[in-house]
Amino acid sequence: MAGADGDDSLYPIAVLIDELRNEDVQLRLNSIKKLSTIALALGVERTRTELLPFLTDTIYDEDEVLLALAEQLGSFTTLVGGPEFVHCLLPPLESLATVEETVVRDKAVESLRKISHEHSPVDLEAHFVPLVKRLASGDWFTSRTSACGLFSVCYPRVSSTVKAEIRQHFRNLCSDDTPMVRRAAASKLGEFAKVLELEYVKNDIIPLFTNLASDEQDSVRLLAVEACVSIAQLLPEEDLEALVMPTLRQATEDKSWRVRYMVADKFSELQKAVGPEITKNDLVPAFQNLLKDCEAEVRAAGAHKVKEFCENLPADGREAIIMNHILPYVKELVSDSNQHVKSALASVIMGLSTILGKDNTIEHLLPLFLAQLKDECPEVRLNIISNLDCVNEVIGIRQLSQSLLPAIVELAEDTKWRVRLAIIEYMPLLAGQLGVEFFDEKLNSLCMAWLVDHVYAIREAATNNLMKLVEKFGAEWAQNTIVPKVLAMANDPNYLHRMTTLFCVNALSEACGKEITTKLMLPIVLKMAVDQVANVRFNVAKSLQRIGPVLDSNTVQSDVKPVLQKLGQDEDMDVKYFAQEAMTVLSLA
C-alpha cells in the first residue's frame, strides 16, 4: 500500500502538467481553478518547491487562464505554509504583473496588494520591496504601470531609508516618458499621498500633482483632479490656498472637456475637502462656469451636483449664495438645448425645495418645476414626478396638482412602453400624496386603462399597482371603485382582457379580504371556468389555487371543489394539469 501511496502523491502535479499543456483552453482554465485542491494534495513543501516554480515557468497562456491564476494566487498564503513563506508567491505574481493584458495585470496587482499585508516588516523589505523596485524600473511600460499600485501598501511598514527610495521611484514614474505610466501614477497619487508624512505630501506630492495636472495628455490631467480630493483632505486649511487651489482653478478651465467633466463629477467631494471658506470664494464661481460650460456632458455632470453642492454650503450664507449665485444658472439649464442636461437637473432640482423653504419654493422653484413638467422630453417629466415627495414635504402637492395632471396623462399614454411603465411605478406614491378624492376624479381611469394595454409588462405592472392602491386606500374604496370595473372585464370579447380580470383577482384578493373576495370576486372566477379559451380556463384553476387560502373552508368545499373537479376532466392537457395542482395545494385531491 505504501508504494501505491508514494505514486499517488505524484499524481496531482502530473495531471496538472498534462491539463495545462492541453490544447483546450477550457480544460486549462478548469485546472487553474482547481489549483487550491491540487496544492492541498501536494502539501505546503511540494507546493513551494514544485507547483509554484512550474506555474512561474508556464506563464504564457490565454488571458482568461492567466486571470484565473492571478486571482487564485492572492489567497494561497496558507497553502504555501503561512506568512513566513508568503514570499514564495511573489515570482509568479511578478510575471503576471508584467503581461500585456490590463485585466490580468490589475488582478495580479490586487493579489500582490493582498499578500503584502501578510509579509512581516523584515520580509517586506527583503522580498516585496525589491519586487516593487524591479517592476518600477522595468523596460516594459506594463511592469512600470503595475508598480504604481504597490507603493502605498509597502510604504508605511518600511525603514526611513527604504521610504526615501520608494518616494524616488514614484517621482520617476510620475514623469515617465510613456503616457500610460504617468496615467497609472496619477491614478495612485491620492492613495500614495495618504500614507506619506505631511512634510513629504507638501514637498513631494504637491509638485508631482502640479506637474501631472498640467500634463500634455488630458487622460493624465483628469486623474490628477481625482487625486486633488485626497490631497486636499490631508493638508491644513492654510496650505490649501497656496498649494492646491491654483491647480484646481486651472482644471476648472482646462481646454479639454474631459478634465472639466471630472471636476464637475468630483465637485461635492472637492467642496467637502477644501472647506467652507474656499468654497465660498473659489468653488461658487467655478461651479457657475461648469453649469454654463460649452460641452453638454460637463453641464450635465454639474447639473447632477446642484442639490449636493447647495446642501453642503455653509449654513450661515447658504440661502443668499443659492438665490444670487446658483439659481440664475439653474434657471438657464431648465431650458437647455440638451435633453441629458435637462434630465440630470430634473432628477435633483426638487431637492432644492427642502433647502430653500416654502416661500422661496413657491416663488422661485415652482415656475421651474412647472416648466419641466411641460418639457417635450419624457425623461425630464418623469424625473420631476419621481421626486415629488421633496416638494410635498415643503409646500404640499396641491400647488402642483393642476400642472401635474397633463404631464401624468401624457406620460401614461406615451408611445414608449418603458415610459408608461415608469409612471405606473410612481402611481401609488402619487396617489398617497394627492389623496383619494383627487385620485378618483383624475387618475382612476388611467389606472384602469393600463389594464388593457397591448404590452404584457404594462398589464402586469398595472395589476400590481391596483394592489398597492388598495393597500393605501382600503378595502371599502376597492369595493366601490376598483372591483366592479375589474370584474366587468370578465365579459370582454378579447380573451387577454378576460385573463387580466383573473390576474387582478389574484392580486386583490388578499388586500380586499375574505368578504369581498367571496361575495364579489369568486362568483365571476367560477363563471369563467367554462370560457371557450383554454388559456383562460387554466388561469381560472390558478386563480382558485391563489384565492383558496383567503376563503373559508366551507366555500372551498361547496363552490371551489366541484369546479376544479370539472376542470380536472378538461380535454386540454394544461387545464387538467393546473386544476389537479390546485386540488393538491388546497388539499381537495
Side-chain angles (χ1 to χ4, degrees):
M1 253 345 260
D5 266 1
D7 295 340
D8 249 14
S9 67
L10 299 171
Y11 173 71
I13 196 110
V15 171
L16 177 73
I17 290 169
D18 278 353
E19 286 186 350
L20 282 178
R21 292 193 176 137
N22 196 294
E23 295 282 286
D24 182 359
V25 176
Q26 200 49 51
L27 248 179
R28 300 204 298 277
L29 191 59
N30 291 343
S31 64
I32 289 288
K33 288 183 172 164
K34 290 190 304 225
L35 265 190
S36 50
T37 320
I38 291 164
L40 272 173
L42 287 172
V44 293
E45 179 86 20
R46 293 187 61 201
T47 297
R48 291 198 300 269
T49 56
E50 295 173 40
L51 181 60
L52 289 176
F54 168 70
L55 290 171
T56 310
D57 294 341
T58 52
I59 295 185
Y60 308 101
D61 204 334
E62 305 284 327
D63 295 332
E64 51 189 320
V65 178
L66 298 182
L67 182 65
L69 178 59
E71 186 169 12
Q72 290 277 320
L73 291 173
S75 46
F76 237 63
T77 306
T78 48
L79 299 167
V80 292
E84 64 180 297
F85 296 104
V86 70
H87 58 83
C88 301
L89 296 171
L90 299 179
L93 282 168
E94 181 174 353
S95 305
L96 288 164
T98 61
V99 299
E100 207 168 316
E101 176 52 53
T102 316
V103 237
V104 177
R105 290 202 307 275
D106 289 350
K107 187 56 79 178
V109 169
E110 193 185 309
S111 289
L112 281 166
R113 286 168 68 104
K114 197 168 159 188
I115 65 172
S116 69
H117 302 300
E118 292 165 338
H119 283 68
S120 66
V122 176
D123 281 348
L124 200 68
E125 284 200 15
H127 301 285
F128 198 87
V129 172
L131 168 144
V132 178
K133 289 180 188 168
R134 282 195 299 278
L135 288 174
S137 44
D139 291 339
W140 281 94
F141 80 88
T142 52
S143 78
R144 302 200 297 280
T145 55
S146 290
C148 297
L150 299 172
F151 292 110
S152 61
V153 289
C154 51
Y155 187 87
R157 297 170 58 214
V158 293
S159 62
S160 48
T161 330
V162 178
K163 279 183 172 176
E165 290 175 24
I166 291 177
R167 290 196 303 275
Q168 185 53 52
H169 275 291
F170 192 79
R171 279 200 294 277
N172 296 345
L173 293 176
C174 285
S175 53
D176 196 279
D177 292 341
T178 313
M180 271 84 89
V181 178
R182 297 200 301 280
R183 202 179 306 157
S187 74
K188 296 296 179 211
L189 185 67
E191 180 185 282
F192 189 46
K194 283 179 185 166
V195 298
L196 289 190
E197 300 79 0
L198 187 60
E199 59 177 301
Y200 298 119
V201 173
K202 289 184 191 176
N203 303 338
D204 284 24
I205 295 289
I206 295 293
L208 296 176
F209 165 61
T210 313
N211 287 339
L212 290 168
S214 44
D215 194 277
E216 64 199 35
Q217 297 276 333
D218 63 356
S219 60
V220 176
R221 298 200 300 278
L222 66 87
L223 289 166
V225 172
E226 214 169 330
C228 183
V229 176
S230 306
I231 294 168
Q233 286 165 341
L234 299 170
L235 293 171
E237 206 161 312
E238 60 272 15
D239 291 331
L240 284 174
E241 185 51 59
L243 300 178
V244 174
M245 288 317 294
T247 309
L248 184 56
R249 281 188 206 110
Q250 174 191 318
T252 58
E253 293 165 7
D254 196 281
K255 61 179 186 291
S256 160
W257 71 266
R258 287 189 176 82
V259 178
R260 302 195 304 275
Y261 173 86
M262 191 56 130
V263 175
D265 192 49
K266 297 282 168 201
F267 215 80
S268 308
E269 293 164 58
L270 288 165
Q271 179 188 6
K272 284 178 188 156
V274 299
E277 268 318 294
I278 293 180
T279 293
K280 265 195 287 199
N281 304 333
D282 267 300
L283 293 195
V284 170
F287 195 53
Q288 292 173 329
N289 290 337
L290 294 170
L291 293 179
K292 63 177 198 314
D293 196 277
C294 56
E295 274 300 326
E297 272 91 344
V298 179
R299 296 198 301 280
H304 260 302
K305 299 289 171 192
V306 164
K307 175 185 165 223
E308 251 182 289
F309 181 71
C310 294
E311 260 174 351
N312 296 330
L313 286 168
D316 51 354
R318 180 188 298 157
E319 190 176 324
I321 294 174
I322 297 173
M323 298 305 294
N324 302 327
H325 302 289
I326 305 294
L327 208 58
Y329 292 86
V330 168
K331 282 178 180 162
E332 292 294 305
L333 293 180
V334 168
S335 49
D336 197 276
S337 56
N338 183 288
Q339 67 178 45
H340 297 296
V341 176
K342 291 188 295 190
S343 177
L345 181 67
S347 66
V348 298
I349 190 171
M350 303 299 253
L352 292 180
S353 53
T354 42
I355 304 169
L356 289 174
K358 187 169 181 175
D359 297 345
N360 284 329
T361 297
I362 292 173
E363 192 181 335
H364 299 283
L365 293 178
L366 206 52
L368 304 182
F369 300 156
L370 299 177
Q372 287 173 307
L373 280 172
K374 296 188 185 90
D375 197 279
E376 79 277 3
C377 167
E379 233 175 61
V380 174
R381 305 197 296 270
L382 255 182
N383 283 347
I384 286 291
I385 288 170
S386 58
N387 289 290
L388 280 173
D389 39 352
C390 313
V391 179
N392 195 20
E393 280 170 39
V394 181
I395 59 169
I397 215 159
R398 287 272 166 242
Q399 301 268 5
L400 270 173
S401 56
Q402 290 317 311
S403 316
L404 258 179
L405 206 63
I408 292 171
V409 172
E410 270 183 47
L411 290 168
E413 293 163 354
D414 196 277
T415 49
K416 295 192 195 73
W417 69 269
R418 287 182 193 284
V419 174
R420 301 201 296 280
L421 187 63
I423 192 72
I424 294 177
E425 282 164 8
Y426 295 119
M427 228 7 135
L429 174 85
L430 281 171
Q433 292 174 351
L434 292 163
V436 68
E437 292 83 10
F438 186 93
F439 181 83
D440 280 347
E441 189 187 328
K442 314 279 188 192
L443 301 178
N444 197 329
S445 52
L446 273 184
C447 289
M448 299 313 294
W450 282 321
L451 290 172
V452 293
D453 196 279
H454 62 277
V455 176
Y456 175 74
I458 300 289
R459 300 199 297 274
E460 187 182 34
T463 307
N464 288 334
N465 171 45
L466 285 188
M467 182 175 70
K468 289 177 187 155
L469 290 172
V470 175
E471 284 165 6
K472 224 174 208 63
F473 292 152
E476 193 180 330
W477 171 80
Q479 183 175 351
N480 298 331
T481 51
I482 294 286
V483 175
K485 290 181 182 171
V486 165
L487 298 180
M489 287 163 58
N491 301 317
D492 196 291
N494 183 334
Y495 85 96
L496 290 172
H497 298 173
R498 300 202 294 279
M499 271 168 41
T500 301
T501 297
L502 293 170
F503 298 147
C504 289
V505 166
N506 295 349
L508 294 174
S509 59
E510 209 169 316
C512 289
K514 181 162 78 175
E515 194 181 337
I516 295 175
T517 304
T518 311
K519 260 203 208 146
L520 300 178
M521 300 201 256
L522 180 63
I524 301 289
V525 177
L526 296 173
K527 207 167 96 187
M528 293 170 79
V530 292
D531 199 282
Q532 286 105 354
V533 178
N535 266 13
V536 176
R537 295 200 301 280
F538 79 64
N539 272 295
V540 167
K542 286 166 106 173
S543 284
L544 290 172
Q545 177 182 328
R546 179 78 183 271
I547 67 175
V550 181
L551 308 168
D552 68 41
S553 53
N554 291 342
T555 311
V556 174
Q557 285 296 336
S558 59
D559 299 358
V560 175
K561 188 175 178 178
V563 171
L564 284 175
Q565 281 172 330
K566 187 163 179 243
L567 290 171
Q569 313 292 299
D570 200 278
E571 72 261 16
D572 184 277
M573 292 294 295
D574 291 332
V575 178
K576 240 187 211 169
Y577 170 78
F578 285 112
Q580 282 156 359
E581 190 178 309
M583 299 268 287
T584 312
V585 171
L586 297 172
S587 317
L588 298 172

